[in-house]
Amino acid sequence: LGQIDKKDEPRALAYLLSAANDPNPSIRAKAIDTLGHMRATEATTPLVQRLFMRDTDDFTRRRILAALALIGDKRAVEPLLDFAEGKSAVDTRAGAVYALGEIGDRQALPSLKSIASGNDDPQLRAVAKAAIQRIEAQPLPTETPPALVDPRRSPPPGGGG
């Protein structure tokens, strides 16, 4: 399902999202992994919702966090910050911090710096420091302010704004 034509992608996504809730952990894990490898931004909201459900086990949460890191959708940043600062197991929270580093949104930096300096767990501090380094190493986005965009010209290659 993860290697289908674009025209069939909506149907495949529907099947994969359904399988991401399958009672069989193997099917559930494979579906979540496939959504991540497809970089299916359509899966961001359902995966985030599943992440916070009480009946979601830590194995599934870690798969969801890895998928969200691969998808890279900035809409996941706020929920991931909430999850990272929550009461879940440290290794699962570290997965959320790792995902934040992979997504690379600079808005996560203040919270990540707080985790890196104020958390009692050395593993979580280390992952937060690595996430901060990954985000800070990225070049700042170059975006043309809307007031300077000439609507008669096509955007430059790479979508510069």
Side-chain angles (χ1 to χ4, degrees):
L1 287 174
Q3 300 175 355
I4 55 152
D5 294 333
K6 282 288 182 194
K7 66 179 176 72
D8 294 325
E9 191 171 292
R11 279 192 8 215
L13 285 171
Y15 287 127
L16 288 167
L17 286 169
S18 176
N21 293 312
D22 196 275
N24 182 325
S26 297
I27 292 171
R28 191 170 57 236
K30 187 64 175 171
I32 292 167
D33 293 350
T34 302
L35 289 165
H37 290 291
M38 289 175 66
R39 291 180 172 29
T41 56
E42 300 87 346
T44 300
T45 300
L47 289 175
V48 165
Q49 289 171 346
R50 177 76 184 184
L51 183 66
F52 284 93
M53 292 176 71
R54 259 187 257 145
D55 65 340
T56 302
D57 59 280
D58 280 344
F59 171 78
T60 301
R61 281 191 174 107
R62 287 191 295 273
R63 294 312 257 254
I64 291 170
L65 292 167
L68 290 171
L70 286 171
I71 293 169
D73 189 341
K74 293 182 190 277
R75 293 178 299 164
V77 170
E78 286 299 320
L80 287 171
L81 285 169
D82 290 343
F83 190 83
E85 295 168 345
K87 302 284 185 213
S88 293
V90 171
D91 58 338
T92 309
R93 290 172 45 218
V97 171
Y98 174 82
L100 287 163
E102 290 298 304
I103 293 170
D105 191 338
R106 291 184 173 276
Q107 291 181 339
L109 285 173
S111 295
L112 288 173
K113 288 177 180 178
S114 174
I115 292 169
S117 64
N119 196 287
D120 291 336
D121 187 88
Q123 175 192 4
L124 201 53
R125 281 197 314 267
V127 174
K129 288 176 186 175
I132 291 166
Q133 289 175 341
R134 243 185 332 278
I135 294 170
E136 288 179 340
Q138 295 177 3
L140 289 172
T142 56
E143 192 170 311
T144 305
L148 299 179
V149 174
D150 184 350
R152 296 170 292 180
R153 301 179 80 195
S154 60

